[in-house]
Amino acid sequence: SWSAGFQSPKGNLDVQPGDPPTFQTIPVRNKAQFAKNSFFRRRQQEIEVGRELARLCAEVRPDVVLAGNAPLDTERFVQAAAKKQGARFVFWLQDIYSRAISAVVPRKFPVIGHLVAAWYRHLEFRMLRESNHVVTITHDFLPLLAARGVDPAKVTIIENWGPLAELPAKPRRDNRYLHFGIWHIRPKYADAYVRAMSANARASAGTEPTCHRFDVIRDLAIDHRFYLYQIYQDQRAHDVVHVAQ
């Protein structure tokens, strides 16, 4: 089952000719349009989806429930329903949601935000500990999971890979050159790195005519990891800048 009301890109959810005859996809919809930018309304709608998924779980009575890419307020209802039905529960850990919540909510709600973030940290790692198995997309999550009491023996790593058959290669329209880098900074220097690289990015995009884009992206799950995304007019333009540096 999947949330049809959440506005985000989705893969092919239609039943394919080679799928088993008993396979089906069941969309779950909110009663109102999903309020993506309202914390409190969004939370209530995530709970609404969780309750509907729990109802489906009771109706279908599965042997195994694999839950992923779902907010914690949705997933906790699914996990509770799986336990009630005696089904095994597999937590697919795409992101550590409580880390993102801890980075955003206290800034938006200074008085209660830290309490809200603490609750979601407690909820997420309790759910992970109580799951029968955990699938995570990266080795980077393993130290944090172990530190929070998740048994390493019940964790499997499956990295994200796109369906290549659905992503056909297309001819390039120009000679623009993409530079992408991943940087791990010592945690105590992470904030200083943000300030320095953000200033560098603004200067490059604003004053270098061959630099068409320069983004500095901070990973909310691992906040000392950064992604640098740069687009240059061509490879020569990139090489000139980086050799000079």
Side-chain angles (χ1 to χ4, degrees):
S1 188
W2 53 284
S3 175
F6 188 75
Q7 303 96 350
S8 68
K10 297 177 175 64
N12 188 351
L13 297 169
D14 295 329
V15 177
Q16 301 300 306
D19 289 330
T22 56
F23 177 76
Q24 61 178 320
T25 63
I26 305 174
V28 173
R29 292 181 171 84
N30 293 104
K31 296 176 182 177
Q33 183 176 355
F34 194 77
K36 190 173 183 178
N37 297 318
S38 171
F39 176 80
F40 294 105
R41 288 179 58 203
R42 174 176 179 156
R43 180 175 183 272
Q44 289 303 313
Q45 289 180 308
E46 290 169 354
I47 290 173
E48 179 187 353
V49 170
R51 286 174 172 158
E52 178 62 15
L53 290 172
R55 185 193 66 77
L56 283 174
C57 187
E59 180 180 308
V60 175
R61 300 183 65 84
D63 296 318
V64 179
V65 174
L66 171 62
N69 282 0
L72 298 175
D73 279 313
T74 298
E75 201 145 344
R76 63 189 174 97
F77 282 92
V78 180
Q79 187 183 51
K83 287 182 178 180
K84 187 174 181 180
Q85 299 300 323
R88 308 284 285 178
F89 184 83
V90 180
F91 194 125
W92 186 288
L93 185 63
Q94 180 76 20
D95 295 294
I96 299 179
Y97 283 101
S98 61
R99 294 290 292 271
I101 292 170
S102 296
V104 174
V105 174
R107 292 202 302 266
K108 193 168 185 179
F109 305 103
V111 178
I112 64 169
H114 291 285
L115 293 175
V116 171
W119 155 248
Y120 281 107
R121 285 194 298 272
H122 165 77
L123 173 64
E124 183 163 33
F125 288 102
R126 187 195 72 194
M127 291 176 61
L128 287 163
R129 287 191 296 269
E130 294 179 357
S131 297
N132 297 106
H133 203 81
V134 175
V135 176
T136 179
I137 65 166
T138 173
H139 288 82
D140 292 332
F141 290 157
L142 297 182
L144 181 59
L145 293 175
R148 297 303 294 263
V150 180
D151 183 2
K154 69 174 188 179
V155 179
T156 298
I157 299 166
I158 301 179
E159 296 180 347
N160 281 346
W161 292 96
L164 296 181
E166 297 179 16
L167 301 169
K170 295 183 179 180
R172 295 177 63 172
R173 293 178 296 176
D174 52 42
N175 293 320
R176 284 187 295 178
Y177 184 81
L178 169 64
H179 175 83
F180 179 77
I182 302 175
W183 293 84
H184 288 81
I185 307 301
R186 290 185 181 181
K188 66 179 181 179
Y189 298 131
D191 290 337
Y193 181 81
V194 170
R195 292 190 294 270
M197 289 305 299
S198 296
N200 186 20
R202 286 193 297 270
S204 297
T207 62
E208 297 175 13
T210 59
C211 180
H212 296 176
R213 184 174 187 133
F214 192 152
D215 294 333
V216 181
I217 305 167
R218 189 172 193 173
D219 193 320
L220 289 178
I222 303 172
D223 61 6
H224 60 279
R225 181 166 65 187
F226 296 85
Y227 308 97
L228 302 186
Y229 181 89
Q230 299 167 278
I231 297 178
Y232 288 88
Q233 179 176 302
D234 51 33
Q235 185 171 354
R236 181 177 178 277
H238 163 271
D239 293 344
V240 167
V241 170
H242 283 260
V243 169
Q245 291 176 348

